[in-house]
Structure formats: structure tokens, C-alpha cells
Amino acid sequence: MKKVQLIFTAMLLLSAVACKKNSSTSPAINGNVSNAEAASMVAGSVSLNSNGVASLAGDATIDAIAIGRLPDACGTIKSDSISRQSSAGSAVTYNYKLKYSYTVNCNSNSQPDSLSSTLTYSGSFNGPKLSSSNSGSSIFTVNGLLPTAADFVINGEFKRAGSFSSKVDTTHHGNSNVDIVINSLTILKHSRTIVSGNAAISVTGDVPNKGSFSYTGTLVFNGNGTATLTLNGTVYMIKLDSGDCARV
């Protein structure tokens, strides 16, 4: 197992990054989790500094480049275990373990053209506004291994589930699930930056003595380091590097 120091600044679970809004607080469903809080959970599940979709897609494309160049790569299966943790003195602390498995798929000419990726992970997070523990998984297909392909194109599903406890309102604690189904997430090969793509979003969970909550929506990757989230009809802009989000 190799230990990797996360190049991003924090592991963010669920609503570690608070969504800022231009108007008053959105009403909660069943008196527990608001639209803005659910949007924060999505932001934490897609951003780079939270080991979200953008970060895991980066991992997959790095391995796609390396594995695709191996001799007789067709059918090659590679497993990788990674530990990621915050640096000493960080305001946000986290400790996560990830287990990847990759399989190289080839076309009819025996050329590597796609990579199948599966991931399981678990860990804990402690930030100024929220502490949590969670586990999750992802299943991705990375297309574009051929040298003639200018982009990587990723399709798949990312899941995150766990318990959370708010430090702002101690009555806000419970369980949550985030499910992100990704369609045509396009990443430039030379810079490994996201240029387009979209996803279907589902956020569910429950708060003891207050009931369950459920939100659905869509996410559009804008190609400028941001993504537009529409959640139960409310629109937010998410910064993919930091996870910050603001109501539009």
C-alpha cells in the first residue's frame, strides 16, 4: 500500500463546504435538511479538495495513461491502494483509504481503447462546521486511450454514504446518501482538465426525530473550473477546486 499526500487541501464529506446564497435560507424538507445543505453535500461529492468526482476522475485518467502504455496491455488488471490524509496543522482534518481496480479493454485491433475502473473507500472527516464518517464506491469507464483520441470521456456512477453531525446546529445529525450518475465527463488529455459533461443527482437521508429528506437534480460541468447544479429547481454554481458553491 502506498501513502499519497493529497495535493489538494482537504477531504470534505457531505456539507463541509457551506453554500452561500444571495437570498434567505431555503426552507427545509420535513424540517431537517435544507436545499442549501443538500447542495453542499453535492459540492463535497464532486470537488477536488474533497476526494469527489473530479479528484477520482483525475486518478483514473492518470492510471489510464500509465496502464495503456504497457506491453500487451489488453485485459491487464491492476489494483492500487491509497491512503490520503490531511497535513499537520490543517483546519480541516481527514483520513481516508481507497482501493482501486482497473481493467484495460481493447478494440477489435487489439489496441487499448478504454479502462474500466472500480473503487471502494472509507474514512472520517472533521471540519469547522461538520464531522462525519462515510464510505463509498464508484464504477467508471474511461474512454480515449487510443493515441489519436484528444480527450478522455468518462461514464459511470459515484456513491457516498455515511453519518454526519453539524457543529453549527447540533440538532442536525443523521445519515445521508449522495448518488451521482455521470454522462460524458470529458477531460483534456494534455492538461487533464474537465471541459464538459453532465450528471443526474440524488441526495437522500434522515435526521432522527425529524424524518427523511430527498432531493434530485442535474449537474452540468461548464469547462471553466465550475459546475452548475440544479437541485429541486434551485440553481447553484460550484467551484470544482474548492467545493465552494453559491446560489445563482
Side-chain angles (χ1 to χ4, degrees), residues 71-91:
D72 302 318
C74 296
T76 296
I77 299 175
K78 178 184 176 182
S79 297
D80 197 7
S81 296
I82 300 174
S83 294
R84 282 177 169 159
Q85 61 187 29
S86 54
S87 57
S90 297

Side-chain angles (χ1 to χ4, degrees), residues 187-209:
I187 301 173
L188 292 178
K189 278 189 176 181
H190 68 275
S191 62
R192 297 207 333 277
T193 57
I194 295 172
V195 294
S196 65
N198 59 82
I201 304 294
S202 172
V203 183
T204 59
D206 63 86
V207 176
N209 301 319

